[in-house]
Amino acid sequence: MVFSRSSITVTGKEAPPEDFSEEFPAILPILKRQVRGFCDKSTLLKRFPVLSWLPKYQLNYLFSDFVAGLTVALTAIPQGIAYAVVAGLEPQYGLYSGFMGCFMYFIFGSCKDITIGPTAIMSLMVAHYVTASPDYAVLSCFLSGVVIFLLGVLNLGFLVQFISIPVTAGFTSAAAITIASTQLKSLFGLPGQANDFIEAWSNFFHHISDIKLWDTLLGVCTVAFLLVLKRLNSIQRWRLFFRYFSLSRNAIAVITGTVLAYLLYKYHDDTPFTLTGNVASGLPPFRPPPFTTVVANETVSFSEMIHTLGSGIVAIPLVSILESVAVAKAFSKGKTVDATQEMIALGMCNIMGSFVLSMPITGSFTRTAVNNTSGVRTTLGGVFTGVIILLALGFLAQTFYFIPKTTLAAVILAAMFSMVEYELLFKLWRTRRIEVIPFMVTLISCLILGLEYGIVIGVAVNLLFVLYTTARPATAHDVRKILDTALLEISPDQSLVFSAAENFKYKVLKYTLDAPDTVSLIIINGHYVQSIDVTVAMNLNTLVADLKILGKAIVFWNWPRQAVALAWRLSPEFGVLFKRSDNVEDLVKLWHHEKQDYINGVTCN
């Protein structure tokens, strides 16, 4: 028989295990070490990654970074204008949001592929707050940056782990469907305003008789054109040409639509398309974010703006973190993603972006994919993207006037097709159908109630699943005969917490009553149990008494030291029932040796 040191015989009785608690060190020295840690070289290099890679930068990287930056800019410019329109802002706000994110991520970013800027989801979430004034979008950018930065500094990135993949997929799919729905009015040239799923379709059917033929024709053709160009990336012959031709599809579509609208305007003094209109030229002013605003000639205070933003103050940064970290993991290629650093970088991008009239920004999956495919070597590629966006603001703003709104809607619609996670839904159905429930609950809640409330409901439902699983642990049981002793071995497959205490006790009693009358020993195998709490320990203690009434003996086999120590502190008579051995045969031999002592509840070694 082999037993651990937790079972020690002292003066004829089995002593409790040692208390392994250690004295807490003084708090002040720890704080001093942490403060010094922020100032050392390793921490500085970790928090400013540019200082680590820039001295090692090779000249041959420059061309790759430039090509990647240019290619991303050709996607970022039309998308920036389109997402500003989705958010209900003037087109230039989408470009303002793009360049500052690129510059700040160059300094703080740790993933070379990520491109920070406006995204469809962020635009849709902001759209609910900017109907009165665009200042709400800028303020939400600042507040989101502060929240994200603080969460990063406090190492609270683990909170994102409470959002499971089914919930994330349901949220992303709902956002894609909602965004696509809101673009119907622009695609078909309809009047009206719509910022959510139900409102968008209601507006569509209400104005269905107002569909404009030329807007519809151009929009549908552009969507088909973009989807075809996306497939060109898989052509092997002249692969380099077709790859970059495919990556530039958004820019090609917007340029084609703009040229067509301009030529019709020039030679016919009119255009059949609904145009984007004036875009403010030049660089945005560098000024603090607005903590007050004016709406209908009345000054709105900071507290009133906060009240208007409401749950968006939490929902927007949460979704921003979720989106950016997900993009970083997708392109990490097996490397560990420093979520804390990514949150600090994202927070700084939003904080500094608010000084140049930016709306909330995050990592863009589409532009990051373009960046990765273009062969970017470092985050310097983002600087080239930012510079090109600034040049576009300075020299091409007047050209943006002729961009047809239906073309921008087509660009967004084509991007949304790949965001709907229908493939994951099929995988969930094939692998674990119960996980379809949080996916569908999140999807439907986001479509009906809005993205902010939908993701909260999805997380809540998912946590209920976790709590239910925790409260109802799977428990294996087996009746065996060892050394002429009929025994019942019961094995929970996870740690036991207070919510599982009554259920586990009920299962043990049920298995005992269902077992043959010849069973005299109940073994509770704690091999998969990591810890228990006081509620579980007290229920197990009462279980001993219940089984004693039934004439059954019980022993707790191979439970963790934490559980053994808790049992001893609760009751020595209870703690002595916890044993360790290499195999069940040794345990039964020991039980035979102490059979009478177990029945009487007295230890006598």
Side-chain angles (χ1 to χ4, degrees):
M1 291 181 288
V2 180
F3 295 92
S4 73
R5 294 183 180 179
S6 63
S7 177
I8 305 174
T9 303
V10 181
T11 63
K13 291 193 176 182
E14 194 169 323
E18 300 176 12
D19 187 358
F20 293 98
S21 61
E22 299 179 356
E23 296 183 359
F24 290 102
I27 295 178
L28 188 59
I30 293 179
L31 293 177
K32 288 181 179 179
R33 286 196 299 270
Q34 288 182 340
V35 171
R36 287 197 298 267
F38 282 117
C39 302
D40 62 23
K41 182 179 179 181
S42 61
T43 303
L44 190 66
L45 294 176
K46 188 176 182 180
R47 296 299 170 231
F48 294 88
V50 65
L51 299 178
S52 178
W53 62 261
L54 190 59
K56 307 173 186 176
Y57 192 83
Q58 300 179 22
L59 192 61
N60 59 331
Y61 291 172
L62 193 62
F63 179 74
S64 298
D65 286 338
F66 173 74
V67 171
L70 174 62
T71 309
V72 172
L74 293 177
T75 301
I77 292 173
Q79 281 193 345
I81 296 172
Y83 292 150
V85 174
V86 172
L89 298 167
E90 295 179 2
Q92 65 268 18
Y93 280 87
L95 300 179
Y96 295 163
S97 304
F99 78 89
M100 184 57 76
C102 295
F103 287 131
M104 295 308 298
Y105 195 79
F106 161 72
I107 299 173
F108 294 97
S110 60
C111 180
K112 66 180 179 63
D113 299 301
I114 286 191
T115 300
I116 303 293
T119 64
I121 295 177
M122 287 289 100
S123 301
L124 184 62
M125 296 187 72
V126 170
H128 294 281
Y129 309 108
V130 302
T131 53
S133 170
D135 288 342
Y136 285 98
V138 181
L139 179 61
S140 66
C141 180
F142 174 77
L143 295 177
S144 296
V146 171
V147 172
I148 295 169
F149 182 80
L150 290 177
L151 290 176
V153 170
L154 297 175
N155 291 317
L156 295 179
F158 71 92
L159 294 174
V160 181
Q161 298 173 2
F162 286 96
I163 305 177
S164 66
I165 289 178
V167 172
T168 303
F171 172 81
T172 305
S173 301
I177 294 171
T178 303
I179 293 165
S181 301
T182 60
Q183 295 308 298
L184 292 176
K185 63 182 183 62
S186 297
L187 187 72
F188 296 106
L190 301 177
Q193 185 68 26
N195 291 322
D196 56 50
F197 176 75
I198 296 176
E199 186 181 3
W201 283 101
S202 176
N203 182 77
F204 174 76
F205 287 112
H206 182 70
H207 295 285
I208 195 170
S209 59
D210 299 325
I211 288 179
K212 294 182 179 180
L213 175 61
W214 292 107
D215 279 326
T216 303
L217 185 61
L218 178 62
V220 171
C221 290
T222 303
V223 171
F225 174 76
L226 290 170
L227 294 178
V228 170
L229 258 63
K230 186 178 182 180
R231 303 296 299 176
L232 293 180
N233 196 32
S234 59
I235 296 178
Q236 294 301 315
R237 191 175 184 183
W238 299 329
R239 184 175 59 180
L240 188 63
F241 169 77
F242 281 116
R243 185 179 73 174
Y244 284 104
F245 190 63
S246 176
L247 292 175
S248 305
R249 60 186 179 274
N250 290 329
I252 295 171
V254 172
I255 292 172
T256 303
T258 304
V259 170
L260 179 61
Y262 175 75
L263 292 176
L264 289 173
Y265 177 82
K266 182 177 180 180
Y267 293 106
H268 297 280
D269 295 329
D270 193 14
T271 177
F273 310 121
T274 304
L275 302 180
T276 298
N278 291 320
V279 177
S281 62
L283 303 181
F286 188 85
R287 65 190 184 199
F291 296 107
T292 61
T293 189
V294 177
V295 178
N297 295 324
E298 293 186 5
T299 301
V300 180
S301 65
F302 178 67
S303 60
E304 291 174 323
M305 295 180 74
I306 293 292
H307 182 266
T308 300
L309 291 173
S311 60
I313 297 176
V314 176
I316 292 175
L318 178 64
V319 174
S320 181
I321 293 171
L322 178 65
E323 198 170 356
S324 189
V325 172
V327 171
K329 288 183 177 180
F331 290 90
S332 62
K333 295 181 180 179
K335 297 180 181 178
T336 302
V337 175
D338 188 349
T340 296
Q341 183 58 31
E342 286 302 306
M343 290 167 66
I344 291 174
L346 184 59
M348 290 303 300
C349 288
N350 277 276
I351 290 173
M352 296 307 299
S354 66
F355 284 78
V356 290
L357 302 180
S358 171
M359 62 181 181
I361 54 179
T362 185
S364 166
F365 189 90
T366 302
R367 296 190 293 277
T368 300
V370 171
N371 207 20
N372 175 267
T373 308
S374 301
V376 70
R377 304 301 294 266
T378 67
T379 54
L380 182 63
V383 174
F384 289 116
T385 300
V387 170
I388 294 170
I389 292 174
L390 290 178
L391 292 175
L393 276 168
F395 299 103
L396 299 177
Q398 293 181 348
T399 306
F400 296 152
Y401 175 91
F402 292 98
I403 299 177
K405 285 187 175 182
T406 186
T407 302
L408 296 178
V411 169
I412 296 173
L413 279 169
M416 294 305 103
F417 285 123
S418 60
M419 286 181 60
V420 179
E421 302 277 3
Y422 56 88
E423 292 183 356
L424 178 64
L425 179 60
F426 295 146
K427 288 181 181 178
L428 294 176
W429 183 258
R430 291 195 305 267
T431 55
R432 195 164 186 262
R433 294 182 180 179
I434 192 69
E435 302 237 21
V436 173
I437 295 177
F439 177 94
M440 294 304 299
V441 168
T442 306
L443 176 68
I444 295 171
S445 300
C446 287
L447 292 177
I448 297 176
L449 302 177
L451 298 180
E452 301 94 328
Y453 298 108
I455 194 170
V456 172
I457 293 173
V459 171
V461 169
N462 208 63
L463 289 179
L464 287 177
F465 274 71
V466 175
L467 292 175
Y468 181 82
T469 304
T470 305
R472 299 292 185 271
T475 306
H477 65 285
D478 182 30
V479 175
R480 289 187 288 170
K481 193 170 184 178
I482 297 178
L483 300 178
D484 296 326
T485 301
L487 59 87
L488 170 64
E489 182 179 344
I490 301 173
S491 306
D493 70 343
Q494 64 185 44
S495 296
L496 301 175
V497 295
F498 64 93
S499 58
E502 290 290 343
N503 178 262
F504 181 71
K505 178 182 175 182
Y506 166 78
K507 284 184 176 180
V508 173
L509 291 174
K510 181 179 181 299
Y511 296 152
T512 302
L513 293 173
D514 292 342
D517 294 336
T518 55
V519 170
S520 57
L521 176 63
I522 311 299
I523 297 176
I524 310 297
N525 188 349
H527 178 75
Y528 297 106
V529 177
Q530 300 296 320
S531 63
I532 62 174
D533 56 30
V534 174
T535 305
V536 173
M538 294 181 69
N539 273 269
L540 293 178
N541 195 17
T542 60
L543 174 64
V544 174
D546 293 339
L547 291 175
K548 185 177 180 181
I549 295 173
L550 295 175
K552 311 292 183 182
I554 185 172
V555 62
F556 298 90
W557 180 38
N558 288 348
W559 283 64
R561 297 172 70 85
Q562 179 269 346
V564 179
L566 181 56
W568 271 98
R569 288 194 292 268
L570 189 63
S571 167
E573 291 78 10
F574 179 43
V576 77
L577 300 178
F578 286 78
K579 302 294 183 180
R580 297 189 69 86
S581 68
D582 290 335
N583 53 68
V584 70
E585 286 80 5
D586 289 342
L587 188 67
V588 174
K589 288 179 183 178
L590 176 63
W591 179 76
H592 272 297
H593 181 69
E594 302 176 342
K595 181 176 181 180
Q596 191 61 41
D597 297 329
Y598 276 115
I599 295 175
N600 297 330
V602 178
T603 307
C604 182
N605 290 326

